Amino acid sequence: MDIDSIIVNPEILPIPKEVKKWKAKDYTMVWITMAVGVLTWEYPWFGIFLGLPWYVSLALEFIGNGITLIPMIIQSHAGAKYGIAEPQITRSRWGIWGAQLPSIIRAIIGTGWWGINVFIITEIIVGLYLKISGKLYSVVSPLLASGEANSFTISLADPTLFWAVFIVVIILELLILYYSPILKGQEPLRKMSWIVAPVVMLSLLGIFLSEVYKYGLNFSLPTKFNASIPVAIAFLAGNMSSWLTMAISMPDLTRFAENQRAQIFGQLILPFAYALFGIFGVIGSSIAYSATHVLIIDPVLLTLLTDPTPIALLLLIPLLMETFAVNTLANLLPPGYDISNIFPKKISWFKGVLIATLIGLIVGAWSFLGSAYSFIENWLLTYGIALGSIVGINMADYTVIRRFELDVSSLYVFNGKYKYMKGINPAALLAFIASSLIGYMPDLGVSNATLSFINSLGPLFTLPLSFLLYLILMKAFRLW
């Protein structure tokens, strides 16, 4: 069998120049679509619940996303320059076969986020149904009184309806991707972001202004610093982890960029979007708490409980559109590439999307939404350790060793420049194993104060460590 034909299909070859139409404003709209939503409102509250003052929580959120933006733009460079997706770029660092490992890890984590967002979409739809039908208060009020209302409240109200809608949402997302072919520049996705981005900003702004209109500006914000320094650093690392998936996979979108300026300037909005709408989230929920003495950090539940039905519909339908769009752009599209890369000749991008859907259902990451600690520690930091190791290797190879240059033809042949040792780069594999293993020691039952602190650093530790280890090992194996 011709080995080269196994690792190639038309969708993963460099796309033609006439398809590369995405401008800076397109990427800005894409990032607003992906970054502004339910979790943007909630993120600062996770830090507050961990004992951080509101302004420290917001600052660490901004810094964490700003740090992630650096490797994201570096990784995006190759996509924009050569018109290729992330799994093929990854072959240059990990080897033709070795690239399977980081791609599969990234795909699994991306599908976890996909499950979280399908859950949120379903929450909005079912919540609106309960609101319109008049059943909402009878179900939610007892939970509010006991202080147990959270992101799972709506799903418990009518489980049969909730999970039926959950399935329908999945089918609709698959249909959107089916009708967004790669070889035509995925124009429906670009156009969708131009519709969704403005309305979702107006939606969260509307939720904030609604709370101000109802209750005024009488509120107080948590200002006591009750968290330890390690907890504060862990929260920073968690925010850094949040978009590390796209720090790997952003070339899947920047391959359509008309030039480097488009992808660089278009992505700078990320930390600012989080900071601005995070402020709305902190103040908006605080206003409602001051008036009702019930703290609801979920903007969906907050709107359903405090606004009349017409206003709730007006505010939540755009939020529904945003969550649907981000799930398509960030959490199903890239894993489709990753899984297709396992066997490109037999697995098309859309078949990869279908497999990613099944993986996401198995992962069931929406279960982490129950508490701030679970979301930060058990979800963001846990996967951040592995992704930090991958991103560090990618950055070291592309910036220091390749100097932003790739031999594109060798990405599609087994016996080319990126064959390394039987298709695997041992330097990348060992750097990943060593840096990740140290980070996961406490999770493996080997723990002391130092290892626990390293574990809490997540990608803040594994990214620079894998960066250095990779360069050392490339020299040791005489591959550089």
Side-chain angles (χ1 to χ4, degrees):
M1 181 182 291
D2 179 10
I3 194 75
D4 293 357
S5 68
I6 294 176
I7 60 174
V8 176
N9 70 39
E11 294 174 335
I12 65 176
L13 292 171
I15 59 171
K17 187 175 181 180
E18 58 267 23
V19 178
K20 295 167 63 65
K21 298 177 180 178
W22 290 37
K23 305 179 189 301
K25 56 188 179 181
D26 294 315
Y27 288 106
T28 295
M29 290 299 173
V30 163
W31 268 115
I32 292 173
T33 298
M34 293 195 295
V36 178
V38 172
L39 290 174
T40 322
W41 185 284
E42 296 180 353
Y43 261 122
W45 283 104
F46 295 152
I48 292 168
F49 291 158
L50 293 173
L52 297 172
W54 68 274
Y55 54 87
V56 174
S57 182
L58 282 168
L60 293 178
E61 185 180 16
F62 180 87
I63 295 168
N65 282 287
I67 293 172
T68 301
L69 192 60
I70 297 170
M72 192 181 301
I73 288 175
I74 291 172
Q75 176 80 337
S76 297
H77 183 277
K81 184 173 183 176
Y82 299 109
I84 54 180
E86 171 267 319
Q88 287 64 59
I89 297 170
T90 300
R91 292 174 178 177
S92 68
R93 297 93 187 249
W94 295 74
I96 296 298
W97 299 131
Q100 309 289 8
L101 176 64
S103 291
I104 290 170
I105 292 171
R106 186 265 172 267
I108 292 171
I109 295 164
T111 61
W113 274 111
W114 168 81
I116 288 172
N117 279 282
V118 172
F119 190 92
I120 293 172
I121 293 166
T122 309
E123 177 196 15
I124 297 172
I125 295 172
V126 175
L128 285 171
Y129 165 77
L130 293 173
K131 177 81 169 179
I132 294 169
S133 65
K135 299 177 182 178
L136 182 69
Y137 291 98
S138 61
V139 174
V140 174
S141 294
L143 293 171
L144 288 174
S146 63
E148 296 176 359
N150 55 35
S151 298
F152 296 114
T153 301
I154 300 298
S155 67
L156 297 173
D158 190 335
T160 302
L161 175 64
F162 187 91
W163 295 109
V165 173
F166 190 90
I167 293 170
V168 172
V169 170
I170 293 172
I171 293 171
L172 289 174
E173 288 193 343
L174 291 175
L175 286 173
I176 286 286
L177 289 177
Y178 181 78
Y179 288 104
S180 297
I182 291 169
L183 299 180
K184 294 184 179 180
Q186 297 195 310
E187 279 295 292
L189 296 182
R190 184 182 70 85
K191 293 175 180 177
M192 178 175 67
S193 69
W194 273 92
I195 297 170
V196 173
V199 296
V200 73
M201 288 191 290
L202 289 174
S203 174
L204 284 189
L205 178 61
I207 293 172
F208 170 75
L209 292 176
S210 175
E211 300 306 312
V212 173
Y213 176 77
K214 292 193 297 280
Y215 305 120
L217 286 171
N218 299 315
F219 65 94
S220 60
L221 297 173
T223 57
K224 290 185 178 180
F225 203 123
N226 296 320
S228 64
I229 297 300
V231 168
I233 295 173
F235 182 67
L236 170 63
N239 278 281
M240 180 182 170
S241 299
S242 180
W243 284 107
L244 273 182
T245 50
M246 294 307 289
I248 296 173
S249 293
M250 198 59 193
D252 298 346
L253 293 174
T254 61
R255 68 187 303 207
F256 304 113
E258 64 177 9
N259 53 44
Q260 293 296 343
R261 288 174 59 87
Q263 70 92 359
I264 293 171
F265 289 106
Q267 297 193 74
L268 295 179
I269 190 67
L270 173 61
F272 297 97
Y274 263 89
L276 176 60
F277 289 94
I279 290 172
F280 289 160
V282 171
I283 297 177
S285 289
S286 294
I287 289 172
Y289 175 74
S290 297
T292 65
H293 306 294
V294 176
L295 180 58
I296 305 172
I297 69 166
D298 182 343
V300 176
L301 193 56
L302 179 65
T303 303
L304 290 170
L305 290 172
T306 63
D307 286 309
T309 300
I311 300 297
L313 284 167
L314 182 65
L315 294 176
L316 292 182
I317 287 177
L319 209 54
L320 173 66
M321 294 168 58
E322 181 276 339
T323 313
F324 188 92
V326 67
N327 224 23
T328 307
L329 287 166
N331 301 323
L332 264 190
L333 184 151
Y337 280 112
D338 294 326
I339 294 170
S340 171
N341 191 53
I342 296 172
F343 198 173
K345 185 177 181 180
K346 296 293 184 181
I347 305 176
S348 68
W349 166 73
F350 187 72
K351 287 180 181 177
V353 167
L354 294 175
I355 296 170
T357 301
L358 294 176
I359 294 172
L361 293 173
I362 294 170
V363 172
W366 54 84
S367 62
F368 296 115
L369 290 171
S371 74
Y373 177 85
S374 177
F375 190 73
I376 298 295
E377 183 71 23
N378 298 334
W379 176 237
L380 294 179
L381 286 179
T382 298
Y383 80 65
I385 290 171
L387 290 193
S389 297
I390 294 170
V391 170
I393 292 165
N394 291 349
M395 288 179 65
D397 187 88
Y398 193 57
T399 59
V400 179
I401 295 177
R402 309 297 167 197
R403 305 281 178 162
F404 297 90
E405 297 286 341
L406 296 178
D407 181 351
V408 176
S409 61
S410 290
L411 297 172
Y412 300 96
V413 294
F414 179 71
N415 288 314
K417 187 175 181 179
Y418 307 119
K419 181 180 179 181
Y420 294 108
M421 295 183 181
K422 296 184 178 180
I424 298 172
N425 182 353
L429 183 61
L430 291 175
F432 172 76
I433 292 173
S435 56
S436 297
L437 187 61
I438 295 171
Y440 284 124
M441 280 294 185
D443 300 305
L444 298 173
V446 181
S447 184
N448 56 42
T450 301
L451 289 174
S452 295
F453 179 65
I454 288 172
N455 179 265
S456 71
L457 292 176
L460 288 172
F461 174 80
T462 56
L463 191 156
L465 178 61
S466 66
F467 187 105
L468 292 173
L469 284 177
Y470 180 74
L471 296 178
I472 293 169
L473 290 168
M474 286 292 281
K475 283 288 188 183
F477 283 106
R478 297 182 179 179
L479 295 171
W480 174 27

